[in-house]
Amino acid sequence: MSVLWPFALLAGSCIAVQAAMNARLGQIINNTWLATSYAFFTSFLLVFLMFLLLNTTGITIQWQQTSFSEVPWYLWFSCVLSDIGVVSMYWLIPKMGVGTLMSYALTGQLIVAMLISHFDLFESPQKFISMTKLAGSLLLIMGILLLNKD
């Protein structure tokens, strides 16, 4: 197992707390779309400021210079999926609860991630779906159904 798992847990925890906070913001201002816009706008500003800060302190962020025309057209539409996912989460949390929503959302993420890896989509590292992974996925789905059973 990778030594990075604590960072992955932290990332997931941040996403859950951030989603719950922004869902509540959307409720208070009575506008999920505005809360989502705020989240994306401030995230952009923070990442851009970190980029500037790191580059001015001598820490350079290396990237290969490439022509934008080399990027496959469909990769530019990842933002649409991000928007759909985030707006949906902010809208669904007040209706389902953060725990219920996150359990279903994470299950969806894991299953789709497994398919992306299996079929080597987007040049991700290829990891074939084995019987063990299939059994784990089925147990995950059963666990999510049990967790959310009233």
Side-chain angles (χ1 to χ4, degrees):
M1 180 181 286
S2 172
V3 297
L4 299 177
W5 67 266
F7 296 106
L9 285 177
L10 176 64
S13 300
C14 288
I15 289 169
V17 172
Q18 182 271 339
M21 290 172 68
N22 257 67
R24 184 65 185 134
L25 175 65
Q27 283 182 304
I28 292 170
I29 64 175
N30 202 27
N31 192 319
T32 302
W33 293 95
L34 189 57
T36 304
S37 299
Y38 169 78
F40 278 113
F41 179 68
T42 54
S43 293
F44 165 76
L45 288 178
L46 289 171
V47 169
F48 186 69
L49 288 172
M50 286 300 296
F51 174 79
L52 292 176
L53 178 69
L54 289 173
N55 277 313
T56 57
T57 59
I59 302 171
T60 56
I61 299 171
Q62 295 185 359
W63 57 302
Q64 275 186 321
Q65 216 160 355
T66 186
S67 169
F68 286 126
S69 64
E70 294 176 35
V71 177
W73 65 269
Y74 55 87
L75 294 181
W76 295 109
F77 291 95
S78 66
C79 59
V80 174
L81 297 172
S82 180
D83 288 346
I84 291 168
V86 171
V87 169
S88 297
M89 291 183 94
Y90 296 165
W91 183 73
L92 287 168
I93 285 172
K95 293 163 180 38
M96 298 176 73
V98 70
T100 302
L101 174 74
M102 285 295 172
S103 66
Y104 285 110
L106 290 174
T107 301
Q109 285 178 356
L110 290 170
I111 290 170
V112 172
M114 219 170 43
L115 292 170
I116 289 170
S117 292
H118 179 80
F119 293 108
D120 191 23
L121 301 176
F122 314 112
E123 297 184 30
S124 63
Q126 191 166 29
K127 306 232 179 196
F128 293 108
I129 297 174
S130 64
M131 289 307 288
T132 304
K133 289 181 183 178
L134 195 56
S137 297
L138 292 173
L139 289 170
L140 174 68
I141 292 167
M142 289 172 31
I144 294 304
L145 293 174
L146 289 172
L147 277 171
N148 293 300
K149 186 177 166 101
D150 288 334

